[in-house]
Amino acid sequence: MRLKNALISLVLLICPCALCYGQLSFSGVNGERGYSAMRGFYRADLDNGFVFTPHYEYYRQTDKEYDESGTISRYKLTGSYELNDDWSLTAAAVWQPTAVGYRAVGYGAGAEWKPFYRWGLIKNPVLAVWAGQERYKVYVDRMGNALADSFHQIATSAAVQARTELASWDLNASWHKVIQYKNNNFPPDVTFGWADIPYMTAVIQGFIKDAAAVRVSYRTNFITPYMALGRYNYAERRGTALSLSAGMRVNWGRTALTGGVEVFEPRREANRKTYFSMSAEVDF
């Protein structure tokens, strides 16, 4: 399984480097009991207004070799087209093949607006909006036991992202909201195996109803410390959860290395999860 994942990553991410300009990025986290997750993408700029970005992501709950079925993978392809200096359009599709009793497919589209280049200390502001739909199938309960009938769910969602530079500060904000879950009756013993929180590499489990996060970093020529704070709510159970990450990015020419820590639900000791993250980026 690991060899297969490595080969898929090479095909999706490395091969396009010979054809165009872009950025190659890998991010990974490790946590308790052998938890690990990886996200990789290659941003291929065709230099004609089109940009294509294939992604490969996976996570596993344990490092035991016999538990290869515990790996969940996701494949994603994003394409964008720059209409002019101010506007660009984006579309994406996501496929999560059946693994550990979960399956998903998603698609969406959005637009990005750059109102101006500089105004006082503010530089490169960007506002992006997104709408999409994701379809889930769940075949197991929380304990991994097979359900008598699979649970189907369709989530229609919207998202807004904003970013800008303020002197040496980089400011980012993200908001995501599920407008409607088609099936509002969540069985108490059912969850989903993949959920993303903005600015976090680690993957959590559950149906997310809404999430908001901010990320702040301070740029220098060599190092860039950062911090991110998120707040999210689950759809299948009550309560608000927090996410927190902090670390440092080291820049060296066209290469950047980042190390940090990610914490989910830091205020609840029983549910707290801590992960250590590393990432590398190379511009071509």
Side-chain angles (χ1 to χ4, degrees):
M1 178 64 75
R2 290 180 179 176
L3 178 59
K4 175 185 174 183
N5 291 340
L7 291 174
I8 292 174
S9 298
L10 287 173
V11 172
L12 292 179
L13 305 176
I14 302 297
C15 291
C17 297
L19 304 176
C20 50
Y21 300 100
Q23 181 186 73
L24 180 66
S25 174
F26 287 96
S27 300
V29 297
N30 287 281
E32 300 174 356
R33 294 182 295 276
Y35 175 99
S36 64
M38 189 277 285
R39 300 175 188 263
F41 70 83
Y42 178 73
R43 184 180 183 274
D45 189 341
L46 303 185
D47 203 26
N48 59 0
F50 286 97
V51 177
F52 293 97
T53 308
H55 301 247
Y56 173 68
E57 306 171 338
Y58 85 89
Y59 86 95
R60 53 188 294 117
Q61 295 283 12
T62 175
D63 59 0
K64 295 179 180 178
E65 291 295 335
Y66 63 79
D67 190 35
E68 291 291 348
S69 62
T71 299
I72 299 180
S73 299
R74 272 202 171 194
Y75 306 86
K76 180 179 179 180
L77 179 62
T78 302
S80 65
Y81 179 71
E82 188 177 272
L83 298 174
N84 50 49
D85 292 338
D86 300 328
W87 289 93
S88 62
L89 302 178
T90 303
V94 179
W95 176 49
Q96 179 182 324
T98 303
V100 202
Y102 305 108
R103 185 174 71 182
V105 62
Y107 41 84
E112 189 175 274
W113 177 46
K114 303 175 183 177
F116 55 85
Y117 173 68
R118 183 190 294 271
W119 183 48
L121 296 178
I122 301 175
K123 182 180 177 181
N124 291 326
V126 176
L127 179 66
V129 295
W130 178 268
Q133 190 172 88
E134 194 152 356
R135 298 170 179 264
Y136 309 95
K137 282 190 176 181
V138 181
Y139 301 96
V140 297
D141 61 18
R142 293 178 182 270
M143 302 302 295
N145 302 312
L147 297 173
D149 295 308
S150 61
F151 177 72
H152 298 246
Q153 184 61 275
I154 300 176
T156 303
S157 60
V160 178
Q161 293 183 333
R163 64 180 186 272
T164 190
E165 301 174 19
L166 182 62
S168 296
W169 295 90
D170 290 334
L171 310 177
N172 296 264
S174 179
W175 174 80
H176 176 269
K177 170 73 174 179
V178 174
I179 301 171
Q180 181 186 37
Y181 276 111
K182 186 174 182 180
N183 189 347
N184 289 320
N185 297 318
F186 290 91
D189 60 341
V190 168
T191 188
F192 192 70
W194 192 292
D196 290 322
I197 302 300
Y199 313 124
M200 306 293 279
T201 302
V203 180
I204 62 174
Q205 295 77 47
F207 290 99
I208 301 297
K209 181 170 60 176
D210 58 73
V214 294
R215 187 181 189 274
V216 179
S217 59
Y218 185 80
R219 283 177 286 106
T220 67
N221 291 333
F222 184 59
I223 62 173
T224 302
Y226 70 89
M227 177 175 288
L229 177 65
R231 177 181 180 273
Y232 55 98
N233 290 285
Y234 291 97
E236 74 269 32
R237 61 180 186 268
R238 295 182 179 180
T240 298
L242 297 178
S243 63
L244 176 67
S245 69
M248 184 173 296
R249 175 189 175 106
V250 178
N251 305 301
W252 183 33
R254 292 179 175 269
T255 303
L257 301 175
T258 304
V261 62
E262 300 182 359
V263 184
F264 291 86
E265 302 195 44
R267 299 182 300 180
R268 302 172 182 172
E269 185 175 354
N271 298 329
R272 185 186 304 142
K273 296 180 180 179
T274 302
Y275 306 103
F276 297 96
S277 64
M278 291 289 293
S279 67
E281 296 179 1
V282 180
D283 294 321
F284 295 90

